[in-house]
Amino acid sequence: MCGIVGAVAKRPIAGLLIDGLKKLEYRGYDSAGIAVIDAQHQLKRLRVAGKVRELENALSTQPLYAHMGIAHTRWATHGVPSEQNAHPFISHDKFALVHNGIIENHSILREKLLREGYQFLSETDTETAVHLIHYHYTQMGDFLSAVRAAVNELEGAYALGVFSTDYPDRVIGVRQGAPLVIGKGQNENFIASDPLALLSITQQFIYLEDYDIVDLGLHAFQIYDRQGQAVNRETHTLSVGLDAIERGEYRHFMKKEIMEQPEAIASCLEGRITKSHVLPAIFGPKAETIFPQVEHVQLIACGTSYHAAMVARYWIESLARIPCSVEVASEFRYREMAQSKNSLFVTLSQSGETADTLAALRLAKKMDYLSSLVICNVPGSTMMREADLHFLTRAGVEIGVASTKAFVTQLTALLLLALTLRQQNKQADEKIDRELIEQLQNLPGLIQKVLQQDEMIANWAKAFTEKQHAIFIGRGTLYPIALEGALKMKEISYIHAEGYPSGELKHGPLALVDTSMPVIATVPGGTLLEKSLSNLQEVRARGGKLYVLTDQTHLFHQDAFADAHIIPMPSLHPLLTPILYTIPLQLLAYHVAVLKGTDVDQPRNLAKSVTVE
Ligand code: AGP
């Protein structure tokens, strides 16, 4: 989603703002812009409908020399991606403003401002905010008071960065539902949507809370809370190395992140398990008193995180014997539900900022849940700060919009949750638990082996570049993995792909299967093997092209499957197959996208951190 960077410094800031925007590119955007106050105290602005590098090119021909300014990457919501709709927006050459989120009452405000004589040059909701600040400034004559008065009128979830030519060394930031951090420097201060934008400048960050307004100056800043009281917020030191946010030897972040999965899982497990059991306090000290009371688990998430939640339902019910419900956040928020007794509310989110999931968490906190737990990859994110209990997945920074290493660590965390609930629910069986944990520890090594199949998967990919459709199938815990494989394919290769439980094919989707339809199947050995093989026969009988991931390769040497394409998989405990079988599906989507020449790390229309509803 949109990215904001703002700076007040003694040194020239245009380059810093552009660097910041580059670091925010991963969030997804379609246009970019920058506004500054130059040495002559004039407001100068440059905008492009396109990438940050185009803005950078434009800046090289029209340099902006300034010590303060704001910059923005826009992910279109109201109005097409165009220069006219790109931020920053300006009012009367005096105020410039950037915005992330949605101003819901913009139509009413626009009418009011039109009546006051303001002219609108864009189709955006944002332009109302800058004119509204100007309007209040003409009434009140004070910058901070004008921003406050405008914010009181704005409805929605958003973050703002704004400056005025009357105050050439101040930038005001507002957080109301969308993330905004302060980056503290030496005689310079910054704001940004994400600390990553500022990591090359500072490691000291303050996460603003909802309704906070920060008045940022060169040597100091002051935060005000909802009541307008000056408040102090905790400073966090982030020690993320810059190499974590560089592509290194890889062509794409997504490939780097796929290859990092063995170490991501190892890091997620580190210090959290012994040889035979999960350490009791890994979900926080309060979990030890809460978990034994849990009679139901409610899992809430969006997209890939939702698929992780779907896998967890199988685990929690089979290992801990606790009933579990799973729902996408945007549905959970808007329906009347019958709440289960003593239910633990669990949100899953890579970013910890997804608007729908965050809203569901806030709703749950007002309901009758036993407690709330978030499983998240971003320390300091809003969900991590607001949930009662938290678990950091430690996958490391994930830049590719298509989630990969964050997903496998979410799965790892959820398996630990199922095992912990099992221990607390007196369901533990030492022999079974020991075996599961041993295999969990071996998982990074097994993933490494699967990653070695990269070339073979790249060969498979060649057959997909001309395809319009693909079907992914799996049974049990591998059904959500089929959904995830299909989502990855859709997101980055733009091929229409669907995931189904293998047994559902004959209830409809089989009508789509003909000689041009690739069907990607996950077929591990185990109790469902025979049933899965029958489903594959149904596909073959209609001429469908089979692509099979299996540890039962011997079965596919027979005539019945002579024309199936096979990737051999290592054998492992059936409960762990969803983690392992995800890897080739990520690689397949990746290679198809590379061959098709799509923007792998920033696929069209998508954003990494979805901070609007
Ligand atoms: C993943 O590949 C997607 N980009 C998307 O579905 C994502 O998982 C979803 O938006 C939820 O994000 P979160 O995990 O940060 O909450």
Side-chain angles (χ1 to χ4, degrees), residues 53-96:
R53 67 172 173 276
E54 291 162 47
L55 183 66
E56 197 176 21
N57 290 342
L59 265 177
S60 63
T61 49
Q62 308 164 59
L64 295 176
Y65 294 105
H67 296 264
M68 68 87 76
I70 51 178
H72 189 263
T73 47
R74 172 175 185 251
W75 188 84
T77 56
H78 297 67
V80 295
S82 66
E83 188 182 328
Q84 216 166 15
N85 288 334
H87 303 210
F89 286 100
I90 288 177
S91 191
H92 293 79
D93 279 333
K94 192 183 272 293
F95 287 92

Side-chain angles (χ1 to χ4, degrees), residues 378-437:
V378 179
S381 60
T382 311
M383 282 182 226
M384 286 293 270
R385 285 180 284 127
E386 294 195 9
D388 302 333
L389 311 170
H390 20 80
F391 182 99
L392 188 66
T393 46
R394 302 188 195 144
V397 180
E398 189 178 75
I399 305 270
V401 164
S403 185
T404 52
K405 62 178 181 173
F407 176 66
V408 295
T409 55
Q410 280 174 341
L411 288 175
T412 308
L414 286 161
L415 190 54
L416 296 182
L417 176 65
L419 286 165
T420 307
L421 289 169
R422 170 182 168 86
Q423 284 166 202
Q424 313 273 8
N425 206 26
K426 311 274 181 276
Q427 296 289 330
D429 172 320
E430 203 183 316
K431 189 164 163 280
I432 298 173
D433 290 12
R434 189 178 279 272
E435 189 196 352
L436 252 176
I437 286 171

Side-chain angles (χ1 to χ4, degrees), residues 254 300-307 348-358 375-378 383 398 400-404 406-407 410 484 487-488 491-492 603 606-610:
M254 183 181 178
I300 295 291
C302 302
T304 287
S305 297
Y306 171 67
H307 297 152
L348 299 161
S349 176
Q350 184 284 129
S351 60
E353 302 292 351
T354 303
D356 284 316
T357 313
L358 182 58
I375 293 177
C376 182
N377 194 39
V378 179
M383 282 182 226
E398 189 178 75
V401 164
S403 185
T404 52
F407 176 66
Q410 280 174 341
E484 175 59 10
L487 180 65
K488 286 279 105 47
E491 281 188 299
I492 58 168
L606 299 182
K608 183 72 183 163
S609 186
V610 185

